[in-house]
Amino acid sequence: MKKIKVMDCICHGQMVDHYRIKDRILDAIEEDVCTEVSGAVYPVDDKVSKLDWSKGDDKSRPWVKIFTPNFESTILSYIRQLKYGRLTVNRMWYQQYVKGDTHGWHTHSDNYTGVYYLEFPKGSSRTEILSPLNFKQHRVNSQEGDLIIFPAHWIHRGPPNDSQRKTIISFNFNIDHWQGAK
């Protein structure tokens, strides 16, 4: 197999009105009775203290209703700048990491995936991403309130967390056409 170099990107920006919605989303996640165990679905080095990955397609969850309007505004801005067309979000879920929790190397389904750093105290581990071209590791200099997107087939992980609790929201989505073609 020959690899042909193609330029690609990781998109990085701030969630619209992060500080206005942060506490409301965290309160809704706190109230979520979750018995899900990380690592049960995929055989990766996993220990995430609280997550709702198995409910990822349920848009009626209370935290999703708070999150969605701001997320859509933010992600649609990204999509317009990239000149992509219609967006379809297929799954979204939260993950809460305490000190020592980790999420091993993996990929996602769909065209794109992303991370919203909802609760991100100093010393929190940042998502690490590997380019499939050369397996060069990228670590986006993210901070609380940031949102990143990248191709879903790029290998990535949540390295061991060295801080107090951190909370992220992940999502998978598809884009069905490019508006730049004339």
Side-chain angles (χ1 to χ4, degrees), residues 63-119:
W63 74 263
V64 173
K65 289 180 179 180
I66 300 164
F67 171 71
T68 297
N70 297 68
F71 171 72
E72 286 178 349
S73 177
T74 304
I75 201 76
L76 288 172
S77 165
Y78 284 29
I79 299 308
R80 278 192 301 275
Q81 291 177 55
L82 294 169
K83 298 195 182 303
Y84 285 131
R86 190 176 23 211
L87 165 78
T88 306
V89 177
N90 295 316
R91 298 183 62 78
M92 59 178 63
W93 63 98
Y94 69 78
Q95 290 178 246
Q96 285 190 322
Y97 298 75
V98 297
K99 189 173 180 82
D101 282 2
T102 187
H103 188 46
W105 293 109
H106 63 285
T107 60
H108 287 226
S109 60
D110 301 308
N111 300 139
Y112 289 90
T113 190
V115 178
Y116 166 44
Y117 297 92
L118 174 63
E119 180 180 41

Side-chain angles (χ1 to χ4, degrees), residues 152-164:
H153 70 277
W154 282 25
I155 305 157
H156 59 284
R157 74 175 181 156
N161 188 41
D162 290 332
S163 73
Q164 56 189 317

